[in-house]
Amino acid sequence: MPVVVDPDPMVVETLLAAMPAGAHGVESVDRLNAWLNSHSDEYVVLLGPTLTDGEAVLTCETLRTNAPTISTILARESLDGELLAAAMRAGARDVVHHSDAASITEALNRAYELYVALRGPAGAIHMSKVIAVFSPKGGVGKTTISVNLALALTEKGARRVCLVDLDLAFGDVAITMQLFPTHSIEQAIGSEDALDIEMLDQLLTRHQDSLMVLAAPPHPDTRERVTPLLVSRIIRTLRETFDYVVIDTAPAFDEQVLTALDETDEVVLVTTLDVPTLKNVKVAVETFDALHIARDNRHLVLNRADDEVGINADKVEGILGMPVDAQIVSSLDIAAATNAGSPVIVSDPEHQLSAVIRQLATDLAGEMVGGTDQLTTQSEAEAKSRRSRRRK
Ligand SMILES: Nc1ncnc2c1ncn2[C@@H]1O[C@H](COP(=O)(O)OP(=O)(O)OP(=O)(O)O)[C@@H](O)[C@H]1O
Ligand SMILES: [Mg+2]
């Protein structure tokens, strides 16, 4: 996926908006190097306009020798001949004006084509989406939404969905789906460097052919031993084979959840109508800014939206500075479905929650669900992703 480097968060935000979902932003060349060290499959780096010409050219030069399969693109405020010559000498693949989204897109596509050519036809990457369901508050409906969303994606035609329970201390995805896992993420502990899909496959619990679950450990103290590196490797490994990876999270910004948010393409942020929750959700939104999660990739869900507590959806939008994308009513059926281990979307397809979650699945999946050819080249899929984002 493309990586953008620029010290100005606003610039990073703007550049990321012109890029495919999953593009990542960092604020310095040092952070870029750290990122590339742990993400060996990156293929293009976009150097933003706030970096000096000297710094940008030097970075191209360094990457040309240290990571020759990574293309570098310079996004500059002005394009003079001297800079172009220096950039080309340093091995830059393209130099574009920073506000010319079409040229940026073309440059990214060229970089990807080169990458596929270098890796050979087998290097075409399986396109998938990672969706994290998050709230800094407990009990607001994260697990309910994650489980129903994963099922909605399969309903819509996704053939391979994996639901990951990253509420490592108190995960309850399995019980909510009446599953009895024999393995969990616990058996992957210590395998940071040896992890592959064959190994992970052994740890998954089957819900139905199209939906697998990576369960949380049975004991809360195991959480400490699940390192952020392991979390990142698990997500990256799963996204190589699954069409969608849905991640249920713990109600905290712990290091495992932060790592998952860093790896995610789309975040579903869940809130209810109480002031303490809204206060914490506001902090979460600020953290998303710091993590450079683009606004287009954030989806706010208001749960228990009809509670008469003196705050309504308009007020929530004002407080959080973002639109409410979906509203779920309070309903005893939802709590009863959790207790019965039978998700609402299956037990009551006509329920308001079922309709809302189906629509959310459509919004998140864009054009990629239900296609007959899920294994597509990244440039095709990225172009699709950009087209669907522009329509929003
Ligand atoms: N709209 C709703 N109406 C009625 N009950 C709901 C609704 N949404 C969630 N619940 C119930 O509230 C309880 C908590 O929901 P859930 O487990 O999904 O929250 P959570 O955010 O995952 O909690 P935790 O932070 O503890 O993991 C469950 O029993 C669920 O059935
Ligand atoms: Mg939960």
Side-chain angles (χ1 to χ4, degrees):
M1 279 295 163
V3 188
V4 177
V5 191
D6 198 286
D8 183 338
M10 297 298 289
V11 173
V12 170
E13 172 95 4
T14 312
L15 289 170
L16 284 177
M19 295 200 173
H24 180 78
V26 293
E27 73 255 23
S28 66
V29 174
D30 281 349
R31 293 294 296 267
L32 170 70
N33 292 334
W35 176 266
L36 295 179
N37 279 339
S38 58
H39 298 82
S40 55
D41 53 350
E42 301 294 12
Y43 67 91
V44 63
V45 170
L46 183 78
L47 297 156
T50 319
L51 293 171
T52 63
D53 284 353
E55 203 173 2
V57 168
L58 184 64
T59 307
C60 293
E61 182 85 56
T62 313
L63 287 175
R64 183 170 62 117
T65 39
N66 293 353
T69 57
I70 298 179
S71 293
T72 42
I73 301 170
L74 267 65
R76 301 280 87 191
E77 263 166 13
S78 61
L79 311 176
D80 65 68
E82 211 175 301
L83 168 73
L84 289 178
M88 292 310 155
R89 270 199 307 277
R93 187 72 45 204
D94 265 297
V95 183
V96 293
H97 193 270
H98 72 101
S99 60
D100 182 352
S103 296
I104 293 176
T105 302
E106 274 172 34
L108 292 175
N109 285 341
R110 274 198 295 274
Y112 181 69
E113 277 157 21
L114 178 71
Y115 175 69
V116 171
L118 287 172
R119 289 180 63 181
I125 290 169
H126 176 79
M127 272 310 288
S128 64
K129 240 182 201 183
V130 179
I131 303 167
V133 180
F134 177 74
S135 179
K137 268 291 201 183
V140 296
K142 296 179 294 297
T143 302
T144 305
I145 292 169
S146 306
V147 165
N148 284 285
L149 179 61
L151 286 161
L153 288 165
T154 65
E155 248 186 31
K156 291 182 70 62
R159 283 171 296 183
R160 301 266 297 150
V161 178
C162 186
L163 175 55
V164 178
D165 193 344
L166 213 60
D167 186 350
L168 295 169
F170 299 107
D172 40 23
V173 165
I175 202 162
T176 303
M177 302 178 90
Q178 245 192 357
L179 293 174
F180 304 96
T182 52
H183 293 81
S184 74
I185 200 169
E186 180 172 7
Q187 282 77 37
I189 289 172
S191 303
E192 282 84 346
D193 292 326
L195 202 75
D196 58 23
I197 193 63
E198 282 74 31
M199 179 190 173
L200 263 181
D201 221 26
Q202 315 272 320
L203 311 185
L204 302 177
T205 307
R206 182 183 165 284
H207 181 267
Q208 60 196 56
D209 276 347
S210 52
L211 177 57
M212 304 296 279
V213 172
L214 181 58
H219 302 293
D221 50 0
T222 310
R223 185 180 78 120
E224 314 294 317
R225 294 190 290 129
V226 178
T227 63
L229 182 61
L230 180 62
V231 170
S232 143
R233 294 266 154 92
I234 287 173
I235 296 172
R236 287 188 156 236
T237 306
L238 290 174
R239 78 181 302 159
E240 280 169 21
T241 10
F242 285 90
D243 303 328
Y244 293 93
V245 180
V246 178
I247 305 175
D248 185 22
T249 56
F253 274 120
D254 59 31
E255 51 183 0
Q256 294 93 346
V257 168
L258 280 171
T259 305
L261 290 173
D262 222 16
E263 294 287 343
T264 204
D265 300 317
E266 312 279 348
V267 184
V268 175
L269 179 60
V270 188
T271 189
T272 48
L273 289 168
D274 55 295
V275 169
T277 300
L278 284 165
K279 177 188 98 3
N280 291 331
V281 168
K282 175 104 182 136
V283 175
V285 171
E286 286 158 15
T287 309
F288 293 169
D289 290 339
L291 290 170
H292 301 306
I293 298 172
R295 283 170 199 272
D296 272 1
N297 304 123
R298 306 173 190 177
H299 311 268
L300 182 61
V301 175
L302 184 53
N303 193 12
R304 300 179 182 273
D306 56 342
D307 286 356
E308 301 273 341
V309 288
I311 303 176
N312 60 17
D314 286 347
K315 220 164 183 174
V316 169
E317 293 187 341
I319 293 169
L320 300 179
M322 64 189 289
V324 171
D325 293 303
Q327 301 188 38
I328 300 169
V329 297
S330 275
S331 156
L332 284 178
D333 300 337
I334 298 176
T338 302
N339 290 344
S342 161
V344 178
I345 202 158
V346 177
S347 60
D348 188 355
E350 304 302 319
H351 195 278
Q352 191 263 355
L353 174 137
S354 307
V356 169
I357 296 290
R358 258 185 237 118
Q359 183 56 49
L360 182 66
T362 304
D363 294 346
L364 289 164
E367 297 170 35
M368 284 202 284
V369 159
T372 49
D373 185 14
Q374 291 278 349
L375 194 68
T376 176
T377 67
Q378 184 158 352
S379 52
E380 281 165 3
E382 287 179 357
K384 277 187 189 174
S385 161
R386 269 192 293 278
R387 282 199 297 277
S388 72
R389 260 129 107 11
R390 272 196 212 113
R391 277 203 298 273
K392 284 189 186 163

